[in-house]
Amino acid sequence: MTKNKSNIVKVSFWERNRKSGGYVLKKKLMDIGVSIARFILLFGLCFLILQPIFNKISVSFMTEADLYSPVVISIPQHFTTENYKMAADVMNYSKGLVNTLVISFTIAVVQIVVCTLVGYGFARFKFPLKSFWFACVMLTILIPPQVISNSLYLHFKFFDILGIIKLIKGVPLNLNGSPVPYYLMSAGCMGLKNGLYIYMIRQFFRNIPNDMEEAAYVDGCNTVRTFFTIMLPEAKPIITSCFLFAFVWQWTDGFYSKMFLGNTTLLSTSLARLVDGLAAYLMRITGVQTSVSVAFSNCILATGVLMLIAPLIILYLFAQRQFVESISASGIKM
């Protein structure tokens, strides 16, 4: 049995263009133009995002003389790493790094645990005033935390549970200055961005078909077992996304950290006090009271910013694949 092989005749580009009346050439030029425009747009966006970071990296390796030198623009003339040592000493970087890592991780875990339970409840169960309570969740996203800062401060300064603590000790507890208020707020879904996490998790669970739960109920699973064995594994993408968001936002948070964790050395709060502590640090090591120039203060501040975000960049380099996959699977529009 033989097969007839047809000869494939290759037609040149210009021949196809001639037969199409110039359409092939126009389409090719249009595709090239779109590609060039897309490249220019993406390059411009990347430059706008990365250029400030590159400037901070360049400034962080400059001496004070380079900052005022008219010939130095981006490349340091006298390369130095003393700025990083100075910023680390003023910020107490090693201690702040450990404390920030522990608090950011534990707070993120608490937030995601409670937000997953609440989001699942809003997505799957019916209870009285469900729409009202979900509207309250939306209000936690819309209302700035500064609006309720005074109430939170007074609440935890005179903390009591139904008058029981005052009855036993005679006075309420003052929880301010410790991590306890922040953990209590996170456990009560009132922490940083908790309303957003509840909304994201609720939307994810609503997109899962009810047939999966009904099949589990038919097989004899109760509600709790169905949640942990069926629904929770399906929610890994959105839980991963929310956990990374919670960790990063907590890492750079300054409002709640300063309000509740003021006595704890954190990178975000140390960065806010970096410029103020620079003059005292220089006087301590030199023994002479000197004024710090604005340019040098900004140089040390830029160095501190880089030291603050460096762990997050390293985290992203290791977790970028899983993070992108979780974003794609959860359907979040970036």
Side-chain angles (χ1 to χ4, degrees), residues 100 104 247-255 257 268 308-309 312:
T100 304
S104 297
F247 183 86
V248 172
W249 274 325
Q250 176 56 44
W251 186 278
T252 57
D253 172 63
F255 179 78
S257 299
S268 58
L308 174 67
I309 65 175
L312 299 180

Side-chain angles (χ1 to χ4, degrees), residues 233-248:
E234 291 291 326
K236 283 183 180 180
I238 191 64
I239 292 176
T240 302
S241 301
C242 290
F243 176 80
L244 292 175
F245 283 137
F247 183 86
V248 172

Side-chain angles (χ1 to χ4, degrees), residues 68-332:
Y68 292 99
S69 176
V71 299
V72 176
I73 299 177
S74 297
I75 301 176
Q77 188 174 9
H78 305 92
F79 186 88
T80 181
T81 58
E82 286 298 318
N83 296 334
Y84 285 93
K85 182 180 183 302
M86 188 179 302
D89 292 339
V90 177
M91 295 173 62
N92 198 357
Y93 187 78
S94 58
K95 182 178 180 181
L97 179 64
V98 174
N99 291 341
T100 304
L101 180 62
V102 172
I103 290 179
S104 297
F105 179 80
T106 53
I107 289 291
V109 170
V110 173
Q111 286 182 329
I112 298 309
V113 169
V114 296
C115 289
T116 301
L117 295 174
V118 174
Y120 179 72
F122 274 117
R124 283 296 192 255
F125 299 106
K126 295 181 180 180
F127 48 88
L129 300 178
K130 176 180 177 180
S131 300
F132 170 76
W133 295 120
F134 188 71
C136 293
V137 173
M138 293 295 99
L139 286 178
T140 62
I141 303 176
L142 301 176
I143 297 177
Q146 291 82 358
V147 175
I148 59 175
S149 59
N150 292 335
S151 300
L152 291 175
Y153 178 83
L154 293 175
H155 175 72
F156 289 111
K157 183 175 178 62
F158 305 99
F159 182 78
D160 203 347
I161 303 176
L162 301 176
I164 299 175
I165 297 178
K166 186 175 182 180
L167 181 64
I168 297 175
K169 298 187 63 176
V171 291
L173 289 178
N174 182 10
L175 298 180
N176 288 333
S178 68
V180 177
Y182 205 7
Y183 283 103
L184 292 177
M185 289 184 59
S186 300
C189 293
M190 282 296 294
L192 181 63
K193 308 290 185 181
N194 273 24
L196 178 62
Y197 307 145
I198 292 174
Y199 175 77
M200 294 168 61
I201 294 172
R202 169 186 177 268
Q203 294 302 109
F204 182 88
F205 279 125
R206 290 187 64 183
N207 292 329
I208 297 179
N210 294 330
D211 298 343
M212 298 180 63
E213 290 173 296
E214 293 174 356
Y217 294 150
V218 171
D219 291 339
C221 291
N222 55 24
T223 303
V224 176
R225 185 177 179 184
T226 300
F227 171 73
F228 283 103
T229 60
I230 304 298
M231 304 303 292
L232 200 58
E234 291 291 326
K236 283 183 180 180
I238 191 64
I239 292 176
T240 302
S241 301
C242 290
F243 176 80
L244 292 175
F245 283 137
F247 183 86
V248 172
W249 274 325
Q250 176 56 44
W251 186 278
T252 57
D253 172 63
F255 179 78
Y256 283 112
S257 299
K258 186 182 297 183
M259 183 175 179
F260 296 117
L261 309 174
N263 297 334
T264 305
T265 303
L266 300 175
L267 292 182
S268 58
T269 55
S270 298
L271 180 65
R273 297 190 293 262
L274 177 58
V275 175
D276 295 334
L278 184 59
Y281 173 79
L282 292 176
M283 185 177 67
R284 187 170 66 251
I285 63 175
T286 60
V288 180
Q289 186 174 2
T290 58
S291 60
V292 183
S293 63
V294 176
F296 188 66
S297 299
N298 292 333
C299 172
I300 299 301
L301 182 61
T303 306
V305 171
L306 292 175
M307 296 173 68
L308 174 67
I309 65 175
L312 299 180
I313 296 176
I314 296 174
L315 174 65
Y316 176 75
L317 292 177
F318 283 98
Q320 60 174 329
R321 181 175 181 180
Q322 185 177 5
F323 178 66
V324 172
E325 289 178 355
S326 64
I327 291 292
S328 302
S330 58
I332 302 174

